[in-house]
Amino acid sequence: MTLAATTELAAATNENLASISNTLIYSAMAVYTLAFFAYIAEWLLGSRSKVGRTAAALTATTASKGPAVTAGKKGGTAVLERPQVVVRSAAGARDVPDGPGAHGGDEQGDMYGRIAISLTVLAFLVELGGVIARAASVERAPWGNMYEFNLTFSTVAVGVYLGLLALRKNVRWLGLFLITSVLLDLGLAVTVLYTASDQLVPALHSYWLYIHVSTAIFCGAVFYVGAVATILYLFKDAYENKLATGGKPGKFANSVLDRLPASASLDKFAYRVNAAVFPLWTFTIIAGAIWAGDAWGRYWGWDPKETWSFITWVAYACYLHARATAGWKGRKAAYLAMIAFGCWLFNYYGVNIFVSGKHSYAGV
C-alpha cells in the first residue's frame, strides 16, 4: 500500500471515529434525558407526607439530646445528661435533622430513584465512550478545545457523583440538579462550542497536556459539584430560617426543600469537596507554570488564563480560610464559595472566548 493510500485510509478511519463519537454523545444526551425524567418522577411520586418533620424539629424540644445515661460508680449511680448535638455552625442554633431524600422515604419514589441512577450510569458509560472515540479520532488527549473540554468536564462531573454513590455517600439528592446542568452543558457543547476533529497547536504538543489539563478538568468538576451543593445550601438555609421565625413556606418549597439534607449537612458537604480538591488545584497551577516554562521560556507571564487561575486560587483560599474562622461560617462563606466558582467559570468561558492570550484555544 502506498503512502498516499495509507494516509487516506487513516483519514477515513479518523473521520469514522469522529462520527461514532458524535453519535455516542447524542445518545448519551438521550439517556441523560431519560434519567432526568426518572429523577423528576422520584421527586414527584415520592412521599410528601413528611413536610411537618422539619417544622417539628425547629420547635423547642429536648429530643435531640437523647436519653440520659446512667453510669455506675463504686456501688452508686450517677445520671449524666447526653450532650446536645448541634449540627449548625453557630453554637446554640437550631438542630435540624436531614431530610428523607428526594424519594421522601417512599418505596415508589425510591424505585424511580434507582432507575434514575441506573440510567445515569448508562449515560455516563456512553458519554465516556464518546470521549474515548473523540480521542482516538484525533490521536491525542480529548481536550484540545472547548468542545472537547466540555465533553470531558461533564463526564468527570457525573463520574464524581457516581463515585460518591459507590462510596455509599448519601448524595442521591444531588442527581436531579447535576443531570439538569450536565444536559445544558452538553447542549452548549454540541450547538455552540462544536469543533471538528483537528490537531493541536504546537504549544500543546507536550506530556504536560495530560498532567495539567486533566487535573484542571477534575478540579473543575469537583468545584462544580461543590457549587451545586452550595446553591442548595443557600435555599435550604433560607427555608429553615423562615420556619424558625414562624413563617409558612409554600407547598413547592415544603415539597422540595424539606426532603433535602439539613442546611448544615449541605454546608459541610460543599466545604469538604472544595477543601479536598483545593490542593490539586494548587498543583494544577504549578504544573501549568512548569509547562509554560517549557513551551514559552517563562514560568509566569500574567497571561489572562494564568491571572484568572490565580484569582480563582485566591478566592477558594479565602473561602477555606473563612470556613475556619468562627465569624465567617454559614451563608457568608457560601457566598465566597459562589464567587470563587464564578471566577472558575469566567476563567474557562470568559477568558477562552472573549479574551485573547496564549491560552486562546477555544476553537469557536
Side-chain angles (χ1 to χ4, degrees):
M1 184 178 292
T2 64
L3 178 61
T6 302
T7 303
E8 184 178 347
L9 178 60
T13 301
N14 291 341
E15 185 177 348
N16 289 335
L17 287 171
S19 178
I20 291 173
S21 173
N22 294 339
T23 301
L24 289 173
I25 295 302
Y26 280 106
S27 299
M29 292 177 65
V31 182
Y32 277 131
T33 301
L34 293 177
F36 168 80
F37 285 117
Y39 282 116
I40 289 290
E42 180 186 15
W43 282 90
L44 292 179
L45 302 179
S47 174
R48 296 187 180 188
S49 62
K50 301 182 180 181
V51 171
R53 196 164 56 86
T54 299
L58 294 172
T59 60
T61 67
T62 58
S64 62
K65 294 183 179 181
V69 178
T70 302
K73 182 179 181 181
K74 293 183 179 180
T77 60
V79 178
L80 306 176
E81 290 293 331
R82 189 180 298 278
Q84 184 176 4
V85 179
V86 178
V87 298
R88 292 185 53 79
S89 57
R94 62 183 183 270
D95 178 11
V96 182
D98 284 344
H103 54 80
D106 179 86
E107 289 186 7
Q108 183 182 30
D110 183 66
M111 178 189 69
Y112 282 104
R114 293 177 183 276
I115 292 173
I117 294 297
S118 299
L119 290 170
T120 302
V121 172
L122 177 59
F124 166 76
L125 294 176
V126 174
E127 185 181 11
L128 180 61
V131 172
I132 294 174
R134 175 76 177 197
S137 71
V138 293
E139 300 178 353
R140 57 169 172 77
W143 42 73
N145 51 60
M146 288 187 68
Y147 170 70
E148 296 171 357
F149 192 100
N150 265 41
L151 296 185
T152 309
F153 171 81
S154 60
T155 305
V156 174
V158 176
V160 170
Y161 167 63
L162 295 177
L164 290 172
L165 288 175
L167 293 173
R168 299 186 182 280
K169 303 298 182 181
N170 183 22
V171 295
R172 204 165 81 185
W173 46 268
L174 192 64
L176 175 62
F177 310 98
L178 179 68
I179 296 306
T180 300
S181 53
V182 164
L183 278 171
L184 293 175
D185 175 76
L186 289 176
L188 178 67
V190 300
T191 56
V192 178
L193 302 177
Y194 179 76
T195 305
S197 299
D198 200 359
Q199 294 303 309
L200 296 173
V201 296
L204 293 182
H205 284 286
S206 171
Y207 61 89
W208 283 105
L209 173 69
Y210 297 90
I211 300 173
H212 172 64
V213 183
S214 63
T215 54
I217 291 173
F218 180 78
C219 290
V222 178
F223 283 147
Y224 167 67
V225 171
V228 173
T230 300
I231 293 173
L232 294 178
Y233 158 75
L234 292 171
F235 280 104
K236 185 62 182 276
D237 185 67
Y239 171 77
E240 291 177 3
N241 282 331
K242 191 169 186 177
L243 288 176
T245 55
K248 294 183 178 180
K251 291 183 178 180
F252 178 79
N254 279 330
S255 176
V256 175
L257 296 177
D258 183 60
R259 287 187 269 174
L260 286 174
S263 61
S265 297
L266 292 168
D267 184 37
K268 184 187 298 183
F269 174 79
Y271 168 67
R272 286 180 173 177
V273 297
N274 286 328
V277 80
F278 180 73
L280 190 59
W281 181 249
T282 304
F283 169 77
T284 300
I285 295 176
I286 295 173
I290 296 173
W291 188 8
D294 289 343
W296 301 315
R298 60 32 167 207
Y299 293 101
W300 196 267
W302 296 106
D303 182 76
K305 177 71 71 173
E306 297 168 349
T307 302
W308 276 96
S309 294
F310 179 69
I311 291 174
T312 302
W313 185 91
V314 171
Y316 273 108
C318 289
Y319 162 70
L320 296 176
H321 177 72
R323 287 290 278 111
T325 305
W328 277 85
K329 291 184 178 180
R331 297 186 72 87
K332 291 181 179 179
Y335 291 141
L336 281 178
M338 294 311 302
I339 291 174
F341 186 68
C343 292
W344 188 91
L345 283 179
F346 182 79
N347 184 35
Y348 175 51
Y349 288 103
V351 172
N352 281 346
I353 296 176
F354 302 111
V355 182
S356 298
K358 288 182 176 295
H359 291 80
S360 301
Y361 306 129
V364 296

